[in-house]
Amino acid sequence: MQTRVLVTGAGGFIGHHLVKYLKQKGYWVRGVDIKEPEFEPSPADEFEVLDLRRWDNCLLATRGVDHVYHLAADMGGIGYITAYHAVIASNSAMINVHMLEAARRNGAEKFFFSSSACIYPQYRQQDPDLTPLREEDAYPADPEEGYGWEKLFMEKLCQYYYEDYGFKTYVARFHNIFGPLGTWEGGKEKAPAALCRKIAITKLTGNPEVEIWGDGEQTRSFCYVDDLVEGVYRLMQSDYHQPLNIGQDRMVTINELADIIANIAGIEIVKKHVPGPQGVRGRNSDNTRLREVLGWEPQISLEEGLARTYAWIEEQVRQKLAREMDISSASV
Ligand code: NAD
Ligand code: GDD
């Protein structure tokens, strides 16, 4: 019989890519989100718009499925997650506690939870040239306020459900995921999408200045969404029930990230460093355990992933500028 899976957050960036991947693998897929996907229709067999903060909706969402990929969360880049600690932590806590228990009660066999590199202690990430983060570095805990604390608690809850009920939970810590069909404007976008947008605007309008929050010497690693989805799927086929990093282990500065994107766009830019939320000073993934557990690690280079992402975002910016021109010429 065809395996039935639920993807929550299926109206969002990673969830939508995951639905496409699972459909290609031949699964029957139910997508659930509080909104429809923004940029193209979902290929899910069923798509239900539900608010997963509510217990009754979590019971509905999890009915009759074998595997649950739980990605729904109140989520955004560093600008968003540092601005709304209370609302982010309480929204995601309600979603997560209800989803885990509803999946168990409805008899799901497996439950995946998307955690984050934001659970790693801030005291280990104060240097741009930091030692890459191993899974065991999570404790003593000092995660990102709000979003990070909530993710860390849910990691523990997944552990308790596995230990106390034998419910097969799987946890991955995502390290800054990017790609086409992700949020690229509006305040929730992360650095790769924000810089693609700003550089596309430079290319299309001719103003060479690109604003970068901070001095641009802060570091991160960035993982292309196709790799992430592959890693999540592989983890769900494994018998590994502790948190696992999924990310790239190539660390770059934000200035270098901007240079790579400008090179892809084929333009010269002038970086303008401005005050803005910066989060940790440095962050990178140690992929030793990922290689041991899955015999695999992300394959797509930063340049290749950014080329695909930039092309999509430049097109979004082009369309938006064209719409604005239409409106202003209609109003004269
Ligand atoms: P996203 O914001 O595009 O997707 C999250 C989805 O959850 C959204 O579509 C949103 O509408 C949905 N959602 C929010 N509240 C809901 C509710 N009450 N009921 C139902 N759905 C609701 O973000 P994403 O980048 O696709 O992230 C997916 C998951 O991966 C999240 O759990 C996120 O915390 C985690 N994660 C992502 C990254 C990254 O770099 N993108 C890094 C670490 C962890
Ligand atoms: N978003 C954004 N926009 N970041 C910028 C910009 C900009 O225009 N300019 C410079 N940056 C810098 C930020 O100051 C930060 O130091 C760095 O780029 C990375 O920012 P984000 O991509 O927004 O977030 P993050 O890496 O700090 O955290 C993200 O990744 C986590 C997982 O690794 C967030 O999305 C978290 O929610 C996520 O869990």
PDB file of all heavy atoms in Angstrom, residues 167-203:
ATOM      1  N   PHE A 167       7.965   6.262  20.511  1.00  0.00           N
ATOM      2  CA  PHE A 167       7.494   6.949  19.296  1.00  0.00           C
ATOM      3  C   PHE A 167       8.737   7.413  18.525  1.00  0.00           C
ATOM      4  O   PHE A 167       9.584   8.121  19.075  1.00  0.00           O
ATOM      5  CB  PHE A 167       6.611   8.136  19.701  1.00  0.00           C
ATOM      6  CG  PHE A 167       5.961   8.848  18.551  1.00  0.00           C
ATOM      7  CD1 PHE A 167       5.479   8.148  17.447  1.00  0.00           C
ATOM      8  CD2 PHE A 167       5.791  10.233  18.585  1.00  0.00           C
ATOM      9  CE1 PHE A 167       4.859   8.810  16.400  1.00  0.00           C
ATOM     10  CE2 PHE A 167       5.166  10.900  17.553  1.00  0.00           C
ATOM     11  CZ  PHE A 167       4.703  10.187  16.451  1.00  0.00           C
ATOM     12  N   LYS A 168       8.842   6.992  17.258  1.00  0.00           N
ATOM     13  CA  LYS A 168      10.071   7.239  16.487  1.00  0.00           C
ATOM     14  C   LYS A 168      10.152   8.703  16.049  1.00  0.00           C
ATOM     15  O   LYS A 168       9.526   9.083  15.051  1.00  0.00           O
ATOM     16  CB  LYS A 168      10.110   6.335  15.251  1.00  0.00           C
ATOM     17  CG  LYS A 168      10.414   4.895  15.573  1.00  0.00           C
ATOM     18  CD  LYS A 168      10.590   4.123  14.277  1.00  0.00           C
ATOM     19  CE  LYS A 168      10.773   2.649  14.562  1.00  0.00           C
ATOM     20  NZ  LYS A 168      10.682   1.850  13.323  1.00  0.00           N
ATOM     21  N   THR A 169      10.917   9.470  16.790  1.00  0.00           N
ATOM     22  CA  THR A 169      11.101  10.890  16.449  1.00  0.00           C
ATOM     23  C   THR A 169      12.475  11.091  15.822  1.00  0.00           C
ATOM     24  O   THR A 169      13.438  10.385  16.156  1.00  0.00           O
ATOM     25  CB  THR A 169      10.965  11.781  17.698  1.00  0.00           C
ATOM     26  OG1 THR A 169      11.849  11.285  18.707  1.00  0.00           O
ATOM     27  CG2 THR A 169       9.538  11.785  18.220  1.00  0.00           C
ATOM     28  N   TYR A 170      12.554  12.061  14.921  1.00  0.00           N
ATOM     29  CA  TYR A 170      13.788  12.388  14.190  1.00  0.00           C
ATOM     30  C   TYR A 170      13.949  13.905  14.248  1.00  0.00           C
ATOM     31  O   TYR A 170      12.976  14.633  14.019  1.00  0.00           O
ATOM     32  CB  TYR A 170      13.689  11.967  12.724  1.00  0.00           C
ATOM     33  CG  TYR A 170      13.450  10.481  12.541  1.00  0.00           C
ATOM     34  CD1 TYR A 170      12.162   9.943  12.686  1.00  0.00           C
ATOM     35  CD2 TYR A 170      14.497   9.622  12.245  1.00  0.00           C
ATOM     36  CE1 TYR A 170      11.936   8.587  12.532  1.00  0.00           C
ATOM     37  CE2 TYR A 170      14.281   8.254  12.093  1.00  0.00           C
ATOM     38  CZ  TYR A 170      12.993   7.745  12.238  1.00  0.00           C
ATOM     39  OH  TYR A 170      12.764   6.403  12.086  1.00  0.00           O
ATOM     40  N   VAL A 171      15.164  14.361  14.535  1.00  0.00           N
ATOM     41  CA  VAL A 171      15.388  15.816  14.688  1.00  0.00           C
ATOM     42  C   VAL A 171      16.603  16.234  13.874  1.00  0.00           C
ATOM     43  O   VAL A 171      17.695  15.684  14.053  1.00  0.00           O
ATOM     44  CB  VAL A 171      15.634  16.175  16.173  1.00  0.00           C
ATOM     45  CG1 VAL A 171      15.978  17.653  16.308  1.00  0.00           C
ATOM     46  CG2 VAL A 171      14.414  15.818  17.030  1.00  0.00           C
ATOM     47  N   ALA A 172      16.423  17.214  12.992  1.00  0.00           N
ATOM     48  CA  ALA A 172      17.583  17.783  12.273  1.00  0.00           C
ATOM     49  C   ALA A 172      17.714  19.257  12.632  1.00  0.00           C
ATOM     50  O   ALA A 172      16.713  19.958  12.777  1.00  0.00           O
ATOM     51  CB  ALA A 172      17.416  17.626  10.772  1.00  0.00           C
ATOM     52  N   ARG A 173      18.967  19.690  12.761  1.00  0.00           N
ATOM     53  CA  ARG A 173      19.260  21.117  12.988  1.00  0.00           C
ATOM     54  C   ARG A 173      19.676  21.728  11.660  1.00  0.00           C
ATOM     55  O   ARG A 173      20.771  21.447  11.172  1.00  0.00           O
ATOM     56  CB  ARG A 173      20.385  21.258  14.025  1.00  0.00           C
ATOM     57  CG  ARG A 173      19.974  20.741  15.391  1.00  0.00           C
ATOM     58  CD  ARG A 173      21.130  20.773  16.372  1.00  0.00           C
ATOM     59  NE  ARG A 173      20.676  20.269  17.666  1.00  0.00           N
ATOM     60  CZ  ARG A 173      21.484  19.729  18.578  1.00  0.00           C
ATOM     61  NH1 ARG A 173      22.795  19.658  18.369  1.00  0.00           N
ATOM     62  NH2 ARG A 173      20.993  19.306  19.727  1.00  0.00           N
ATOM     63  N   PHE A 174      18.793  22.529  11.088  1.00  0.00           N
ATOM     64  CA  PHE A 174      19.061  23.130   9.776  1.00  0.00           C
ATOM     65  C   PHE A 174      20.004  24.327   9.941  1.00  0.00           C
ATOM     66  O   PHE A 174      19.806  25.158  10.843  1.00  0.00           O
ATOM     67  CB  PHE A 174      17.769  23.649   9.139  1.00  0.00           C
ATOM     68  CG  PHE A 174      16.717  22.609   8.830  1.00  0.00           C
ATOM     69  CD1 PHE A 174      15.466  23.011   8.376  1.00  0.00           C
ATOM     70  CD2 PHE A 174      16.955  21.250   8.970  1.00  0.00           C
ATOM     71  CE1 PHE A 174      14.476  22.076   8.071  1.00  0.00           C
ATOM     72  CE2 PHE A 174      15.974  20.304   8.675  1.00  0.00           C
ATOM     73  CZ  PHE A 174      14.727  20.725   8.227  1.00  0.00           C
ATOM     74  N   HIS A 175      20.966  24.428   9.014  1.00  0.00           N
ATOM     75  CA  HIS A 175      21.889  25.574   9.000  1.00  0.00           C
ATOM     76  C   HIS A 175      21.601  26.446   7.786  1.00  0.00           C
ATOM     77  O   HIS A 175      21.924  26.085   6.670  1.00  0.00           O
ATOM     78  CB  HIS A 175      23.346  25.087   8.951  1.00  0.00           C
ATOM     79  CG  HIS A 175      23.823  24.500  10.237  1.00  0.00           C
ATOM     80  ND1 HIS A 175      24.744  25.128  11.046  1.00  0.00           N
ATOM     81  CD2 HIS A 175      23.497  23.342  10.865  1.00  0.00           C
ATOM     82  CE1 HIS A 175      24.980  24.372  12.113  1.00  0.00           C
ATOM     83  NE2 HIS A 175      24.231  23.286  12.031  1.00  0.00           N
ATOM     84  N   ASN A 176      21.002  27.558   7.998  1.00  0.00           N
ATOM     85  CA  ASN A 176      20.642  28.592   7.006  1.00  0.00           C
ATOM     86  C   ASN A 176      20.415  28.040   5.588  1.00  0.00           C
ATOM     87  O   ASN A 176      21.331  27.940   4.773  1.00  0.00           O
ATOM     88  CB  ASN A 176      21.688  29.712   6.994  1.00  0.00           C
ATOM     89  CG  ASN A 176      21.044  31.033   6.582  1.00  0.00           C
ATOM     90  OD1 ASN A 176      20.220  31.076   5.679  1.00  0.00           O
ATOM     91  ND2 ASN A 176      21.412  32.120   7.250  1.00  0.00           N
ATOM     92  N   ILE A 177      19.168  27.728   5.314  1.00  0.00           N
ATOM     93  CA  ILE A 177      18.759  27.078   4.066  1.00  0.00           C
ATOM     94  C   ILE A 177      18.273  28.138   3.072  1.00  0.00           C
ATOM     95  O   ILE A 177      17.531  29.047   3.446  1.00  0.00           O
ATOM     96  CB  ILE A 177      17.618  26.066   4.327  1.00  0.00           C
ATOM     97  CG1 ILE A 177      17.921  25.202   5.574  1.00  0.00           C
ATOM     98  CG2 ILE A 177      17.343  25.221   3.091  1.00  0.00           C
ATOM     99  CD1 ILE A 177      19.230  24.452   5.541  1.00  0.00           C
ATOM    100  N   PHE A 178      18.669  28.011   1.819  1.00  0.00           N
ATOM    101  CA  PHE A 178      18.252  29.001   0.818  1.00  0.00           C
ATOM    102  C   PHE A 178      17.901  28.309  -0.488  1.00  0.00           C
ATOM    103  O   PHE A 178      18.252  27.142  -0.703  1.00  0.00           O
ATOM    104  CB  PHE A 178      19.367  30.040   0.592  1.00  0.00           C
ATOM    105  CG  PHE A 178      20.553  29.471  -0.147  1.00  0.00           C
ATOM    106  CD1 PHE A 178      20.692  29.685  -1.519  1.00  0.00           C
ATOM    107  CD2 PHE A 178      21.496  28.696   0.495  1.00  0.00           C
ATOM    108  CE1 PHE A 178      21.769  29.136  -2.221  1.00  0.00           C
ATOM    109  CE2 PHE A 178      22.570  28.139  -0.197  1.00  0.00           C
ATOM    110  CZ  PHE A 178      22.701  28.367  -1.558  1.00  0.00           C
ATOM    111  N   GLY A 179      17.206  29.044  -1.360  1.00  0.00           N
ATOM    112  CA  GLY A 179      16.853  28.490  -2.665  1.00  0.00           C
ATOM    113  C   GLY A 179      15.701  29.271  -3.258  1.00  0.00           C
ATOM    114  O   GLY A 179      15.144  30.180  -2.617  1.00  0.00           O
ATOM    115  N   PRO A 180      15.302  28.918  -4.490  1.00  0.00           N
ATOM    116  CA  PRO A 180      14.149  29.560  -5.110  1.00  0.00           C
ATOM    117  C   PRO A 180      12.869  29.254  -4.333  1.00  0.00           C
ATOM    118  O   PRO A 180      12.810  28.274  -3.583  1.00  0.00           O
ATOM    119  CB  PRO A 180      14.083  28.920  -6.506  1.00  0.00           C
ATOM    120  CG  PRO A 180      15.402  28.264  -6.711  1.00  0.00           C
ATOM    121  CD  PRO A 180      15.934  27.918  -5.356  1.00  0.00           C
ATOM    122  N   LEU A 181      11.838  30.046  -4.545  1.00  0.00           N
ATOM    123  CA  LEU A 181      10.517  29.873  -3.934  1.00  0.00           C
ATOM    124  C   LEU A 181      10.532  30.112  -2.426  1.00  0.00           C
ATOM    125  O   LEU A 181       9.674  29.608  -1.706  1.00  0.00           O
ATOM    126  CB  LEU A 181       9.929  28.471  -4.229  1.00  0.00           C
ATOM    127  CG  LEU A 181       9.886  28.023  -5.691  1.00  0.00           C
ATOM    128  CD1 LEU A 181       9.419  26.567  -5.804  1.00  0.00           C
ATOM    129  CD2 LEU A 181       8.972  28.931  -6.505  1.00  0.00           C
ATOM    130  N   GLY A 182      11.522  30.867  -1.946  1.00  0.00           N
ATOM    131  CA  GLY A 182      11.575  31.227  -0.524  1.00  0.00           C
ATOM    132  C   GLY A 182      11.232  32.698  -0.342  1.00  0.00           C
ATOM    133  O   GLY A 182      11.207  33.471  -1.310  1.00  0.00           O
ATOM    134  N   THR A 183      10.997  33.078   0.912  1.00  0.00           N
ATOM    135  CA  THR A 183      10.681  34.481   1.198  1.00  0.00           C
ATOM    136  C   THR A 183      11.865  35.360   0.789  1.00  0.00           C
ATOM    137  O   THR A 183      12.996  35.120   1.222  1.00  0.00           O
ATOM    138  CB  THR A 183      10.408  34.640   2.705  1.00  0.00           C
ATOM    139  OG1 THR A 183       9.368  33.736   3.046  1.00  0.00           O
ATOM    140  CG2 THR A 183       9.993  36.058   3.045  1.00  0.00           C
ATOM    141  N   TRP A 184      11.609  36.367  -0.028  1.00  0.00           N
ATOM    142  CA  TRP A 184      12.715  37.208  -0.524  1.00  0.00           C
ATOM    143  C   TRP A 184      12.516  38.685  -0.184  1.00  0.00           C
ATOM    144  O   TRP A 184      13.384  39.511  -0.443  1.00  0.00           O
ATOM    145  CB  TRP A 184      12.889  37.019  -2.038  1.00  0.00           C
ATOM    146  CG  TRP A 184      11.658  37.372  -2.829  1.00  0.00           C
ATOM    147  CD1 TRP A 184      10.576  36.577  -3.057  1.00  0.00           C
ATOM    148  CD2 TRP A 184      11.365  38.627  -3.460  1.00  0.00           C
ATOM    149  NE1 TRP A 184       9.638  37.250  -3.802  1.00  0.00           N
ATOM    150  CE2 TRP A 184      10.098  38.502  -4.070  1.00  0.00           C
ATOM    151  CE3 TRP A 184      12.059  39.842  -3.595  1.00  0.00           C
ATOM    152  CZ2 TRP A 184       9.509  39.550  -4.778  1.00  0.00           C
ATOM    153  CZ3 TRP A 184      11.479  40.877  -4.305  1.00  0.00           C
ATOM    154  CH2 TRP A 184      10.212  40.727  -4.882  1.00  0.00           C
ATOM    155  N   GLU A 185      11.379  39.038   0.417  1.00  0.00           N
ATOM    156  CA  GLU A 185      11.131  40.423   0.825  1.00  0.00           C
ATOM    157  C   GLU A 185      10.128  40.416   1.972  1.00  0.00           C
ATOM    158  O   GLU A 185       9.547  39.374   2.281  1.00  0.00           O
ATOM    159  CB  GLU A 185      10.573  41.248  -0.348  1.00  0.00           C
ATOM    160  CG  GLU A 185       9.211  40.756  -0.822  1.00  0.00           C
ATOM    161  CD  GLU A 185       8.524  41.703  -1.813  1.00  0.00           C
ATOM    162  OE1 GLU A 185       9.002  42.825  -2.034  1.00  0.00           O
ATOM    163  OE2 GLU A 185       7.472  41.300  -2.342  1.00  0.00           O
ATOM    164  N   GLY A 186       9.960  41.543   2.629  1.00  0.00           N
ATOM    165  CA  GLY A 186       8.892  41.674   3.621  1.00  0.00           C
ATOM    166  C   GLY A 186       9.341  41.587   5.065  1.00  0.00           C
ATOM    167  O   GLY A 186       8.536  41.790   5.957  1.00  0.00           O
ATOM    168  N   GLY A 187      10.619  41.240   5.331  1.00  0.00           N
ATOM    169  CA  GLY A 187      11.113  41.248   6.709  1.00  0.00           C
ATOM    170  C   GLY A 187      11.467  39.881   7.271  1.00  0.00           C
ATOM    171  O   GLY A 187      12.177  39.785   8.259  1.00  0.00           O
ATOM    172  N   LYS A 188      10.953  38.800   6.652  1.00  0.00           N
ATOM    173  CA  LYS A 188      11.277  37.458   7.152  1.00  0.00           C
ATOM    174  C   LYS A 188      12.419  36.815   6.358  1.00  0.00           C
ATOM    175  O   LYS A 188      12.847  35.711   6.685  1.00  0.00           O
ATOM    176  CB  LYS A 188      10.048  36.541   7.081  1.00  0.00           C
ATOM    177  CG  LYS A 188       8.985  36.865   8.120  1.00  0.00           C
ATOM    178  CD  LYS A 188       7.914  35.793   8.121  1.00  0.00           C
ATOM    179  CE  LYS A 188       6.939  35.982   9.270  1.00  0.00           C
ATOM    180  NZ  LYS A 188       5.914  34.924   9.289  1.00  0.00           N
ATOM    181  N   GLU A 189      12.892  37.487   5.305  1.00  0.00           N
ATOM    182  CA  GLU A 189      13.909  36.877   4.451  1.00  0.00           C
ATOM    183  C   GLU A 189      15.256  36.783   5.161  1.00  0.00           C
ATOM    184  O   GLU A 189      15.610  37.621   5.969  1.00  0.00           O
ATOM    185  CB  GLU A 189      14.048  37.650   3.128  1.00  0.00           C
ATOM    186  CG  GLU A 189      14.548  39.071   3.249  1.00  0.00           C
ATOM    187  CD  GLU A 189      13.468  40.083   3.648  1.00  0.00           C
ATOM    188  OE1 GLU A 189      12.373  39.688   4.082  1.00  0.00           O
ATOM    189  OE2 GLU A 189      13.771  41.287   3.560  1.00  0.00           O
ATOM    190  N   LYS A 190      16.015  35.732   4.814  1.00  0.00           N
ATOM    191  CA  LYS A 190      17.352  35.540   5.374  1.00  0.00           C
ATOM    192  C   LYS A 190      18.380  36.182   4.446  1.00  0.00           C
ATOM    193  O   LYS A 190      18.048  36.645   3.360  1.00  0.00           O
ATOM    194  CB  LYS A 190      17.604  34.047   5.573  1.00  0.00           C
ATOM    195  CG  LYS A 190      16.746  33.498   6.701  1.00  0.00           C
ATOM    196  CD  LYS A 190      16.842  32.006   6.843  1.00  0.00           C
ATOM    197  CE  LYS A 190      15.878  31.335   5.917  1.00  0.00           C
ATOM    198  NZ  LYS A 190      16.309  30.824   4.699  1.00  0.00           N
ATOM    199  N   ALA A 191      19.648  36.164   4.890  1.00  0.00           N
ATOM    200  CA  ALA A 191      20.678  36.924   4.178  1.00  0.00           C
ATOM    201  C   ALA A 191      20.798  36.548   2.689  1.00  0.00           C
ATOM    202  O   ALA A 191      20.885  37.458   1.847  1.00  0.00           O
ATOM    203  CB  ALA A 191      22.019  36.770   4.891  1.00  0.00           C
ATOM    204  N   PRO A 192      20.824  35.253   2.299  1.00  0.00           N
ATOM    205  CA  PRO A 192      20.999  34.970   0.867  1.00  0.00           C
ATOM    206  C   PRO A 192      19.898  35.613   0.009  1.00  0.00           C
ATOM    207  O   PRO A 192      20.204  36.239  -1.018  1.00  0.00           O
ATOM    208  CB  PRO A 192      20.932  33.436   0.795  1.00  0.00           C
ATOM    209  CG  PRO A 192      21.327  32.986   2.163  1.00  0.00           C
ATOM    210  CD  PRO A 192      20.779  34.019   3.098  1.00  0.00           C
ATOM    211  N   ALA A 193      18.633  35.466   0.440  1.00  0.00           N
ATOM    212  CA  ALA A 193      17.533  36.036  -0.351  1.00  0.00           C
ATOM    213  C   ALA A 193      17.569  37.564  -0.301  1.00  0.00           C
ATOM    214  O   ALA A 193      17.351  38.238  -1.322  1.00  0.00           O
ATOM    215  CB  ALA A 193      16.194  35.509   0.153  1.00  0.00           C
ATOM    216  N   ALA A 194      17.862  38.124   0.888  1.00  0.00           N
ATOM    217  CA  ALA A 194      17.894  39.593   1.012  1.00  0.00           C
ATOM    218  C   ALA A 194      18.966  40.172   0.096  1.00  0.00           C
ATOM    219  O   ALA A 194      18.733  41.173  -0.607  1.00  0.00           O
ATOM    220  CB  ALA A 194      18.160  39.984   2.466  1.00  0.00           C
ATOM    221  N   LEU A 195      20.137  39.533   0.073  1.00  0.00           N
ATOM    222  CA  LEU A 195      21.224  40.078  -0.749  1.00  0.00           C
ATOM    223  C   LEU A 195      20.955  39.847  -2.235  1.00  0.00           C
ATOM    224  O   LEU A 195      21.290  40.703  -3.065  1.00  0.00           O
ATOM    225  CB  LEU A 195      22.569  39.502  -0.312  1.00  0.00           C
ATOM    226  CG  LEU A 195      22.990  39.957   1.099  1.00  0.00           C
ATOM    227  CD1 LEU A 195      24.307  39.319   1.510  1.00  0.00           C
ATOM    228  CD2 LEU A 195      23.104  41.479   1.190  1.00  0.00           C
ATOM    229  N   CYS A 196      20.335  38.709  -2.586  1.00  0.00           N
ATOM    230  CA  CYS A 196      19.933  38.520  -3.993  1.00  0.00           C
ATOM    231  C   CYS A 196      18.970  39.638  -4.410  1.00  0.00           C
ATOM    232  O   CYS A 196      19.094  40.208  -5.500  1.00  0.00           O
ATOM    233  CB  CYS A 196      19.260  37.161  -4.195  1.00  0.00           C
ATOM    234  SG  CYS A 196      20.400  35.765  -4.206  1.00  0.00           S
ATOM    235  N   ARG A 197      18.001  39.957  -3.541  1.00  0.00           N
ATOM    236  CA  ARG A 197      17.034  41.009  -3.876  1.00  0.00           C
ATOM    237  C   ARG A 197      17.730  42.356  -4.053  1.00  0.00           C
ATOM    238  O   ARG A 197      17.519  43.062  -5.036  1.00  0.00           O
ATOM    239  CB  ARG A 197      15.980  41.116  -2.761  1.00  0.00           C
ATOM    240  CG  ARG A 197      14.900  42.150  -3.060  1.00  0.00           C
ATOM    241  CD  ARG A 197      14.094  42.479  -1.811  1.00  0.00           C
ATOM    242  NE  ARG A 197      14.840  43.277  -0.858  1.00  0.00           N
ATOM    243  CZ  ARG A 197      14.982  42.998   0.444  1.00  0.00           C
ATOM    244  NH1 ARG A 197      14.424  41.933   0.960  1.00  0.00           N
ATOM    245  NH2 ARG A 197      15.686  43.796   1.230  1.00  0.00           N
ATOM    246  N   LYS A 198      18.593  42.687  -3.073  1.00  0.00           N
ATOM    247  CA  LYS A 198      19.234  44.008  -3.116  1.00  0.00           C
ATOM    248  C   LYS A 198      20.145  44.131  -4.348  1.00  0.00           C
ATOM    249  O   LYS A 198      20.211  45.186  -4.983  1.00  0.00           O
ATOM    250  CB  LYS A 198      20.042  44.232  -1.835  1.00  0.00           C
ATOM    251  CG  LYS A 198      19.160  44.383  -0.589  1.00  0.00           C
ATOM    252  CD  LYS A 198      19.995  44.544   0.676  1.00  0.00           C
ATOM    253  CE  LYS A 198      19.130  44.507   1.921  1.00  0.00           C
ATOM    254  NZ  LYS A 198      19.879  44.776   3.163  1.00  0.00           N
ATOM    255  N   ILE A 199      20.825  43.044  -4.683  1.00  0.00           N
ATOM    256  CA  ILE A 199      21.746  43.088  -5.835  1.00  0.00           C
ATOM    257  C   ILE A 199      20.949  43.097  -7.138  1.00  0.00           C
ATOM    258  O   ILE A 199      21.326  43.784  -8.097  1.00  0.00           O
ATOM    259  CB  ILE A 199      22.771  41.937  -5.723  1.00  0.00           C
ATOM    260  CG1 ILE A 199      23.734  42.276  -4.571  1.00  0.00           C
ATOM    261  CG2 ILE A 199      23.516  41.707  -7.032  1.00  0.00           C
ATOM    262  CD1 ILE A 199      24.655  41.175  -4.116  1.00  0.00           C
ATOM    263  N   ALA A 200      19.817  42.418  -7.166  1.00  0.00           N
ATOM    264  CA  ALA A 200      18.955  42.478  -8.361  1.00  0.00           C
ATOM    265  C   ALA A 200      18.423  43.903  -8.544  1.00  0.00           C
ATOM    266  O   ALA A 200      18.363  44.405  -9.682  1.00  0.00           O
ATOM    267  CB  ALA A 200      17.796  41.486  -8.232  1.00  0.00           C
ATOM    268  N   ILE A 201      18.067  44.558  -7.446  1.00  0.00           N
ATOM    269  CA  ILE A 201      17.579  45.943  -7.554  1.00  0.00           C
ATOM    270  C   ILE A 201      18.702  46.832  -8.106  1.00  0.00           C
ATOM    271  O   ILE A 201      18.489  47.668  -8.990  1.00  0.00           O
ATOM    272  CB  ILE A 201      17.054  46.453  -6.188  1.00  0.00           C
ATOM    273  CG1 ILE A 201      15.762  45.710  -5.825  1.00  0.00           C
ATOM    274  CG2 ILE A 201      16.808  47.962  -6.219  1.00  0.00           C
ATOM    275  CD1 ILE A 201      15.225  45.984  -4.425  1.00  0.00           C
ATOM    276  N   THR A 202      19.917  46.628  -7.587  1.00  0.00           N
ATOM    277  CA  THR A 202      21.062  47.380  -8.105  1.00  0.00           C
ATOM    278  C   THR A 202      21.208  47.160  -9.608  1.00  0.00           C
ATOM    279  O   THR A 202      21.380  48.105 -10.376  1.00  0.00           O
ATOM    280  CB  THR A 202      22.346  46.927  -7.367  1.00  0.00           C
ATOM    281  OG1 THR A 202      22.305  47.452  -6.062  1.00  0.00           O
ATOM    282  CG2 THR A 202      23.601  47.396  -8.057  1.00  0.00           C
ATOM    283  N   LYS A 203      21.125  45.895 -10.016  1.00  0.00           N
ATOM    284  CA  LYS A 203      21.310  45.589 -11.445  1.00  0.00           C
ATOM    285  C   LYS A 203      20.224  46.251 -12.301  1.00  0.00           C
ATOM    286  O   LYS A 203      20.504  46.781 -13.373  1.00  0.00           O
ATOM    287  CB  LYS A 203      21.281  44.073 -11.640  1.00  0.00           C
ATOM    288  CG  LYS A 203      21.515  43.647 -13.069  1.00  0.00           C
ATOM    289  CD  LYS A 203      21.662  42.144 -13.168  1.00  0.00           C
ATOM    290  CE  LYS A 203      21.688  41.710 -14.629  1.00  0.00           C
ATOM    291  NZ  LYS A 203      21.815  40.253 -14.745  1.00  0.00           N
TER     292      LYS A 203
END
